[in-house]
Amino acid sequence: MSGRRVFVSGVGGELGTLVARMLEDEPWVGSLAGIDADPPRRRLQRTTYHRLSPDNHDQIVATITDFNPHVLVHVGVWEPDARASPKAAGVLTEQAATSILGAAAECRALESIVVRSGIEIYGRGKGSLTRPAENAPIRPTSEYGHTLADIEAIATSVANRAGVTVGAVRLASVFGPHVPSPLGRLLRMPAVPFSAPADPPFAVIEHNDAARAVVAAARNQLAEPVNVVASGAITALHAIRRGRRIPVPIFGSQWLLARRLSHMLGAPIPAHVAETLTRGRLADNGRMEELLGITAAVSTVEVIDHLYNWPSVVRRPALVPAAQQIGATA
């Protein structure tokens, strides 16, 4: 399997950059290339980066078909209110999936497709303690869940047409120091809302564990979905107390006002995050080791503790007023 050409979409994001860096250390990887609208977040040693916008369909197709990868790793997914509004995130994700996965069907050397998905694909579930396995029905109940379901459907269609394997890495909410996460951003606010009638549990995944899972899926040529979730669970109130934030109990229809106020304060609560806070978000990760050969190194509670230990932006006033600086240099 040595000398495989691997193409990574979304290489400019924190997760995509981590995936590319880990792939550079894989002995089976030969040539490595990536694409994104933004440059990689860290220095990459042997990854050829192509800066292309998701709407540049023709250039994306030409770039991928010229590279003719053996393995396509598609992590170019925009989570609503992470780096873009829900509407923009949906459009960008759809454009990227259509161009990148469509181009893969034209690559003669292609052997395997790996796509980033998420446990939001299962929807709200029937109870806060529901842990759907990979064979559970796909019933998304949020815009993000529908987007992930569409990505998996497109990838499956392309893989069937090209006669290659396809694997979906269904991630829990990804937390990391430089990962734009609407749930993580909300939990770091000074005052955090939680569902007072029923404070349901949820699970997350640390960014390095998420990247390790994607790389393992590419290495093993994953041919089915797999849930990638850290062990254990936590509730919003438990997380708030661990982070020494102010808990704000919310009842029923008060969530509409809470979401509007949180958006004004810089921490939007998109529909899938609202579901997590009010209905919980768990999944069965029992097949991670079987399918990927790895387990999550960091538990959900440890991920939350790390979240609150990350440095915050501290704004300090200038020692010399701007007007005086301009006058001194005039």
Side-chain angles (χ1 to χ4, degrees):
M1 187 178 172
S2 61
R4 288 292 186 265
R5 294 187 297 276
V6 183
F7 195 93
V8 182
S9 73
V11 75
E14 179 67 14
L15 181 60
T17 302
L18 277 173
V19 168
R21 288 190 66 183
M22 291 181 184
L23 285 169
E24 289 184 339
D25 295 331
E26 290 286 311
W28 59 274
V29 176
S31 301
L32 190 60
I35 190 173
D36 207 327
D38 299 309
R41 301 303 175 91
R42 307 181 187 185
R43 182 179 296 276
L44 299 176
Q45 299 299 320
R46 60 188 188 93
T47 303
T48 302
Y49 164 66
H50 301 272
R51 187 170 188 174
L52 292 171
S53 174
D55 61 358
N56 196 343
H57 175 80
D58 293 342
Q59 190 60 44
I60 290 174
V61 172
T63 299
I64 295 175
T65 53
D66 287 347
F67 185 71
N68 193 24
H70 295 100
V71 180
L72 176 70
V73 179
H74 180 56
V75 293
V77 177
W78 280 259
E79 182 179 0
D81 281 325
R83 290 189 294 166
S85 69
K87 183 177 180 179
V91 171
L92 291 168
T93 300
E94 180 184 5
Q95 290 175 337
T98 301
S99 299
I100 294 165
L101 295 174
E106 308 301 322
C107 299
R108 295 184 178 182
L110 189 69
E111 299 173 355
S112 176
I113 298 173
V114 173
V115 296
R116 174 190 177 175
S117 187
I119 61 175
E120 292 84 359
I121 201 170
Y122 301 117
R124 287 189 294 263
K126 296 181 179 180
S128 63
L129 296 179
T130 302
R131 293 180 182 268
E134 290 82 357
N135 60 356
I138 294 175
R139 294 173 179 170
T141 49
S142 66
E143 185 175 1
Y144 188 45
H146 284 286
T147 295
L148 296 173
D150 290 343
I151 290 174
E152 289 197 21
I154 294 172
T156 299
S157 176
V158 169
N160 290 339
R161 188 163 74 248
V164 302
T165 63
V166 59
V169 181
R170 294 175 178 171
L171 301 172
S173 292
V174 181
F175 284 10
H178 305 290
V179 176
S181 165
L183 178 57
R185 189 183 300 128
L186 177 68
L187 291 176
R188 279 172 61 94
M189 294 290 285
V192 184
F194 73 97
S195 180
D199 186 29
F202 61 89
V204 296
I205 190 73
E206 195 257 354
H207 63 311
N208 283 302
D209 282 336
R212 287 172 54 233
V214 173
V215 171
R219 182 195 311 122
N220 298 347
Q221 294 192 336
L222 181 69
E224 57 186 293
V226 60
N227 293 335
V228 175
V229 181
S231 61
I234 197 168
T235 69
L237 182 58
H238 186 193
I240 293 166
R241 287 173 173 169
R242 295 186 75 87
R244 298 181 180 179
R245 265 51 180 180
I246 301 172
V248 181
I250 302 295
F251 297 85
S253 60
Q254 292 178 346
W255 274 107
L256 181 60
L257 177 61
R259 291 179 67 180
R260 289 178 178 175
L261 181 59
S262 185
H263 192 283
M264 292 174 58
L265 295 175
I269 306 176
H272 66 288
V273 172
E275 284 185 356
T276 299
L277 297 173
T278 59
R279 301 294 294 270
R281 185 83 71 196
L282 302 173
D284 184 352
N285 64 355
R287 300 195 68 199
M288 270 184 68
E289 187 168 12
E290 173 193 347
L291 296 176
L292 302 179
I294 65 169
T295 57
V298 185
S299 71
T300 289
V301 172
E302 289 172 331
V303 174
I304 296 298
D305 287 343
H306 293 171
L307 171 75
Y308 288 117
N309 288 329
W310 300 333
S312 298
V313 175
V314 178
R315 294 177 173 83
R316 298 181 182 276
L319 296 178
V320 180
Q324 294 183 22
Q325 293 184 29
I326 295 173
T329 57

